[in-house]
Amino acid sequence: MIAVCIATYNNEAYIARAIESVLCQKCDESVRVYIGDDASTDGTQAVCERFVATDARIVYIRRKQNMGLVSNTIDLYRRILADGAEYIAMLDGDDYWTDSHKLQLQTEYLRKHTEVGLVHTAEQTQGDEAIPEGDLSERYGLSGAKQTNCTVLFRAELLQKADLDELEQQDFPVLDYPLYGIFSQYTKFGYLGVRTAVWRVHSSVSNPQSLKGQLQYKRERLRMWYWLDKKYSGRFHFRWYKAILWYIRQIFYILFA
């Protein structure tokens, strides 16, 4: 079974397209959609419940109170593991897939390449194609995490390599960067040069619009890098001079790009 993990919060304008892009997948594996609605205050719940009423493949979890992106996603992972999924595909509630064969292509790739645990594809970002290249497992660090979350599918068993409680306690703003960093220490990453998804770039946890928010996220990115490097005995090559130079470059980019 492929479990599609959708964490959503106040995505009323986008969530229907996200769900539809999953339900139209043509795949020889069974597909189940797990939606974690993080106590949305808009019409997200009504949209999701409309789909639940017509398709038994959807598991909809409505949070009683806001948990935050990381805790919301980790709870979905635990449910998915308990249900025995073999693969997990990621899709944020404001993004969507554009290729109805996305899941088929990725599962076929993982069956063929048994040494690979995660495979990602190309994406479209607000009309511009952004293509990460090849196996990222050997160069995952500060400049890593180039695989956009909505393009990723990985073997569910990889979650056994991560201490989900520890990750949750770190209170990082996002989960994909540190989690895929952990995965990179245990498996290779694969890449398919096919555009299969659209990543909507707008104000969000990982893409804040205010200057204060952007700088805070960059500092959090450094904290995640430092944490991974410490956890894996320097394998992520964290150096303070590199971190400072990177942060200065980010400030200039934010101010003058």
Side-chain angles (χ1 to χ4, degrees):
M1 179 185 78
I2 304 171
V4 180
C5 181
I6 302 179
T8 186
Y9 174 70
N10 283 358
N11 291 145
E12 178 184 8
Y14 310 117
I15 189 66
R17 190 163 191 181
I19 297 171
E20 288 168 351
S21 73
V22 177
L23 299 181
C24 75
Q25 288 291 304
K26 298 176 175 62
C27 184
D28 57 21
E29 294 275 351
S30 62
V31 176
R32 187 175 298 172
V33 189
Y34 292 77
I35 304 173
D37 179 355
D38 203 12
S40 294
T41 58
D42 63 358
T44 298
Q45 180 178 4
V47 176
C48 291
E49 289 178 342
R50 187 172 73 243
F51 281 96
V52 170
T54 59
D55 201 307
R57 292 175 294 173
I58 300 173
V59 179
Y60 174 64
I61 299 98
R62 166 76 180 181
R63 310 298 181 190
K64 293 181 179 179
Q65 59 185 19
N66 188 270
M67 302 172 66
L69 174 62
V70 171
S71 293
N72 186 15
T73 305
I74 285 176
D75 178 73
L76 291 177
Y77 284 160
R78 291 191 172 111
R79 293 170 185 266
I80 288 167
L81 287 175
D83 288 346
E86 184 176 3
Y87 305 104
I88 299 175
M90 301 303 300
L91 181 61
D92 296 331
D94 54 349
D95 300 331
Y96 62 96
W97 295 338
T98 57
D99 189 331
S100 61
H101 294 90
K102 174 187 183 292
L103 297 181
Q104 182 68 23
L105 290 170
Q106 291 181 299
T107 52
E108 284 180 351
Y109 183 94
L110 290 184
R111 291 191 205 107
K112 181 178 180 181
H113 300 276
T114 56
E115 76 284 6
V116 174
L118 179 153
V119 58
H120 61 107
T121 70
E123 46 138 52
Q124 183 175 325
T125 307
Q126 289 190 330
D128 297 322
E129 186 175 2
I131 302 180
E133 297 178 354
D135 178 7
L136 304 180
S137 58
E138 296 301 321
R139 55 189 180 87
Y140 199 106
L142 179 63
S143 61
K146 292 185 178 180
Q147 60 277 56
T148 304
N149 205 40
C150 61
T151 72
V152 166
L153 181 140
F154 60 86
R155 300 184 194 275
E157 64 189 25
L158 279 173
L159 287 175
Q160 305 297 341
K161 303 296 185 181
D163 185 333
L164 296 180
D165 288 331
E166 180 187 17
L167 271 170
E168 193 167 15
Q169 290 165 8
Q170 294 303 312
D171 196 29
F172 292 134
V174 295
L175 184 60
D176 53 344
Y177 182 89
L179 183 65
Y180 301 158
I182 292 170
F183 289 174
S184 74
Q185 299 305 295
Y186 301 97
T187 189
K188 289 185 177 182
F189 291 3
Y191 172 71
L192 292 169
V194 180
R195 283 193 301 186
T196 67
V198 168
W199 173 41
R200 298 184 195 267
V201 180
H202 56 89
S203 182
S204 65
V205 171
S206 60
N207 190 48
Q209 297 300 301
S210 69
L211 176 60
K212 181 179 179 180
Q214 290 182 67
L215 294 176
Q216 175 62 28
Y217 181 73
K218 299 303 180 183
R219 290 193 292 271
E220 287 293 312
R221 184 70 176 266
L222 290 176
R223 186 165 72 92
M224 288 184 271
W225 183 26
Y226 177 78
W227 179 79
L228 283 167
D229 190 62
K230 186 177 180 181
K231 184 176 180 67
Y232 290 101
S233 304
R235 295 182 199 171
F236 289 85
H237 308 291
F238 181 93
R239 300 292 184 274
W240 281 109
Y241 77 89
K242 289 183 180 180
I244 292 169
L245 288 174
W246 179 84
Y247 187 66
I248 291 172
R249 286 197 300 270
Q250 296 304 306
I251 293 173
F252 274 92
Y253 177 81
I254 291 169
L255 293 176
F256 304 112

